[in-house]
């Protein structure tokens, strides 16, 4: 398994990371099986385990904690906090109060005395970066976390966070976690170059584009059972996506490579990407993705992919995750409208 350094953290990590979003309810509720999958991944050389305090309402962190007990020194343990999995505004976001409570709760569930990478799951528009960075720096100084990062930050906030850390004397965000696939290439325009400029590590998720690149018939895709509209090809955008996937499948077939293997290898190719997070649901899917972990695509194959989906292209612009939320300037009309003033008359 190829190893790469995670930005400036000094931590050597596998180029493939195990994501746990498909463990626990509502996807795979067989706890023994998911514990076994984590241990299988570690034995195969995957040393990054990525989870979140919100997966399964904290249950997945407990699964991870159980699985790594005999492997803690071999694992770079990454978890996330701050996503709005509950309605209570004081149990989400990046306020110093919640940062401290979140890390303490994650440490208990993960059954460890430290977290290697503590990640803010999304930008918090209600808390100043100075406040968040101060709290995270204190956790790092206390030894509760080794490094911290963020996920799905707009590029301007990535830059602002680096500036605030330097100006205020805080430790800085060392990593970004972002969605990246052949069908989601918007990151190539600004986010990935910016991460490189600041020496940040990048963990990418969603290499199979929510199942579009899984190689399975759309009707068989598990996500279609939860949100049938996701693959409804009567929608023009989905119809176009299906056409592009069919073209990509032909390229993969001509190269003698399964489409999901080509899709995952594509994301590992970008020099800004440190580790690609895979999200298997079953042991079979895990073994299949491990088997492709060392696949390297040729320049000719990458050129063929670029010809189908151009660099910087976002094929499904409406496909957003829970972490990609619009700023208040977009969601709150009052921030775009001047009230209480008379209109001018000509």
């Amino acid at each position: 398994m190829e190893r790469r350094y995670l930005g400036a953290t000094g931590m050597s990590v596998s180029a493939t990371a195990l994501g746990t979003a498909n463990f626990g309810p509502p996807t795979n509720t067989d706890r023994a099986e998911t514990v076994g999958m984590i241990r299988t991944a570690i034995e195969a050389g995957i040393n990054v385990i990525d989870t979140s305090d919100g997966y399964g309402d904290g249950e997945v962190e407990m699964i991870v904690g159980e699985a790594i007990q005999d492997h803690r020194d071999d694992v770079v343990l990454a978890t996330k906090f701050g996503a709005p999995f509950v309605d209570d505004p004081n149990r989400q976001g990046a306020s110093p109060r919640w940062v401290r409570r979140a890390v303490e709760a994650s440490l208990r569930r993960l059954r460890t005395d430290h977290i290697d990478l503590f990640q803010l799951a999304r930008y918090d528009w209600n808390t100043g970066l100075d406040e968040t960075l101060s709290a995270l720096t204190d956790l790092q100084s206390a030894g509760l976390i080794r490094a911290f990062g963020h996920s799905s930050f707009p590029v301007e906030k990535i830059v602002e966070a680096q500036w605030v850390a330097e100006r205020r004397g805080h430790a800085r965000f060392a990593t970004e976690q972002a969605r990246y696939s052949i069908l989601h290439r918007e990151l190539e325009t600004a986010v990935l170059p910016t991460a490189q400029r600041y020496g940040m590590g990048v963990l990418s998720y969603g290499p199979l584009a929510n199942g579009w690149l899984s190689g399975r018939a759309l009707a068989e895709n598990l996500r279609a059972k939860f949100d049938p509209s996701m693959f409804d090809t009567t929608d023009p955008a989905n119809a176009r996506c299906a056409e592009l996937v069919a073209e990509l499948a032909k390229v993969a077939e001509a190269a003698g490579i399964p489409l999901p293997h080509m899709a995952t290898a594509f994301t590992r190719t970008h020099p800004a990407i440190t580790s690609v997070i895979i999200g298997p649901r079953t042991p079979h899917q895990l073994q299949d993705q491990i088997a492709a972990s060392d696949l390297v695509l040729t320049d000719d194959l990458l050129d063929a992919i670029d010809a189908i989906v151009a660099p910087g292209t976002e094929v499904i612009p409406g496909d957003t995750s829970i972490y990609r939320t619009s700023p208040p300037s977009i969601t709150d009309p009052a921030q775009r409208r001047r009230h209480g003033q008379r209109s001018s008359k000509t």
Side-chain angles (χ1 to χ4, degrees), residues 23-26 52-62 85-86 91 109:
F23 295 172
S52 169
D53 62 358
Y55 295 167
D57 196 25
E59 183 177 340
V60 177
E61 281 191 331
M62 291 189 283
F85 288 106
V86 296
R91 296 180 61 197
R109 289 189 291 262

Side-chain angles (χ1 to χ4, degrees), residues 58-314:
E59 183 177 340
V60 177
E61 281 191 331
M62 291 189 283
I63 292 171
V64 172
E66 178 181 346
I68 67 171
Q69 282 309 294
D70 295 330
H71 305 277
R72 182 64 187 92
D73 292 340
D74 303 318
V75 166
V76 174
L77 181 59
T79 193
K80 296 180 286 295
F81 73 98
F85 288 106
V86 296
D87 293 333
D88 185 350
N90 286 324
R91 296 180 61 197
Q92 59 182 264
S95 69
R97 177 179 183 271
W98 182 243
V99 167
R100 185 75 190 198
R101 291 181 62 188
V103 77
E104 290 172 349
S106 287
L107 288 170
R108 286 195 301 271
R109 289 189 291 262
L110 292 164
R111 296 162 60 182
T112 185
D113 62 357
H114 73 279
I115 293 165
D116 296 301
L117 181 62
F118 196 48
Q119 303 161 100
L120 175 55
R122 66 168 192 171
Y123 184 76
D124 181 1
W125 299 95
N126 297 310
T127 303
L129 281 166
D130 186 27
E131 298 293 323
T132 301
L133 284 164
S134 177
L136 290 168
T137 300
D138 287 346
L139 295 182
Q140 189 178 50
S141 298
L144 299 179
I145 60 176
R146 298 290 186 255
F148 54 87
H150 47 57
S151 179
S152 299
F153 263 36
V155 67
E156 68 274 12
K157 294 303 179 183
I158 295 176
V159 175
E160 183 181 348
Q162 295 289 319
W163 181 87
V164 170
E166 180 179 352
R167 182 69 178 267
R168 302 291 291 172
H170 302 311
R172 67 190 186 95
F173 286 109
T175 63
E176 158 69 359
Q177 183 175 141
R179 181 187 61 180
Y180 182 52
S181 76
I182 295 175
L183 301 181
H184 300 111
R185 301 186 63 173
E186 182 185 13
L187 293 186
E188 296 169 346
T189 301
V191 170
L192 295 182
T194 299
Q196 288 178 291
R197 178 180 293 268
Y198 287 106
M200 300 174 71
V202 178
L203 306 174
S204 69
Y205 67 88
L208 301 185
N210 288 341
W212 278 101
L213 300 171
S214 67
R216 298 193 300 272
L218 299 184
E220 298 174 1
N221 193 286
L222 180 69
R223 289 184 181 272
K225 298 178 182 179
F226 293 101
D227 184 7
S229 66
M230 183 177 291
F231 299 104
D232 179 9
T233 52
T234 62
D235 180 284
N238 285 344
R240 177 56 180 158
C241 188
E243 292 173 1
L244 294 174
V245 170
E247 293 182 44
L248 291 167
K250 291 177 182 178
V251 170
E253 183 179 6
I257 302 171
L259 177 59
H261 292 187
M262 184 180 80
T264 304
F266 167 85
T267 59
R268 283 198 303 270
T269 299
H270 197 290
I273 300 296
T274 309
S275 190
V276 177
I277 301 172
I278 59 173
R281 179 176 53 88
T282 67
H284 172 75
Q285 291 174 359
L286 174 62
Q287 291 290 359
D288 181 64
Q289 293 180 47
I290 288 174
S293 60
D294 293 323
L295 176 64
V296 177
L297 305 185
T298 65
D299 285 342
D300 288 345
L301 195 51
L302 292 169
D303 288 341
I305 293 171
D306 286 350
I308 297 171
V309 181
T313 301
E314 197 77 358

